[in-house]
Amino acid sequence: MIIDNNSKEKEAMQAFHKGDRELGYKLQDEFVQELRESKEKGQDHCSCQKACKYHGKCMECVAIHRAHRDHLPNCFRNMINERIEKLSQLTEHSIIDQIKK
């Protein structure tokens, strides 16, 4: 199962944004059910490439990162970087000039 940029979950968010909570929750429930089924089959859904004893144990991994507050889990980084890139466009990516100093 592919979690990142999942089309069903993106459709659910579109429904929520349009105010259709019923459809949004229906699609989210389907997404979660598919995730549970994939886990029952032993499918590896964790996008992290690091050898870690919490690989595939999202709840524990996220709780650890929330607790120490030092950095984000690897699986969140692409999503956050995509958002930062969009914000950076507002200043023509001039943050790069600041970082290189």
Side-chain angles (χ1 to χ4, degrees):
M1 173 177 194
I2 296 173
I3 294 176
D4 297 318
N5 288 311
N6 182 281
S7 59
K8 184 169 287 192
E9 188 55 32
K10 289 176 108 174
E11 187 179 344
M13 289 309 298
Q14 288 176 350
F16 283 123
H17 289 291
K18 291 178 183 175
D20 191 347
R21 294 172 57 85
E22 185 177 332
L23 177 59
Y25 282 126
K26 176 186 176 293
L27 292 167
Q28 278 191 336
D29 289 345
E30 290 175 9
F31 170 80
V32 170
Q33 183 60 36
E34 290 173 16
L35 177 61
R36 288 179 178 149
E37 290 171 2
S38 74
K39 285 185 72 165
E40 287 174 6
K41 293 176 185 173
Q43 196 174 41
D44 185 5
H45 61 278
C46 185
S47 61
C48 182
Q49 299 299 310
K50 295 198 175 201
C52 170
K53 72 180 195 175
Y54 296 104
H55 183 89
K57 299 174 184 172
C58 298
M59 187 175 78
E60 292 92 342
C61 176
V62 171
I64 288 167
H65 284 83
R66 285 177 59 193
H68 65 56
R69 303 187 83 74
D70 184 63
H71 60 275
L72 293 170
N74 284 336
C75 61
F76 284 18
R77 293 179 186 172
N78 283 340
M79 178 176 58
I80 299 298
N81 286 336
E82 287 171 9
R83 297 288 180 113
I84 290 171
E85 182 179 9
K86 288 177 184 175
L87 285 173
S88 178
Q89 289 174 357
L90 296 173
T91 62
E92 286 74 33
H93 301 294
S94 61
I95 189 68
I96 300 300
D97 298 332
Q98 299 297 318
I99 293 170
K100 290 181 179 179
K101 286 184 180 178

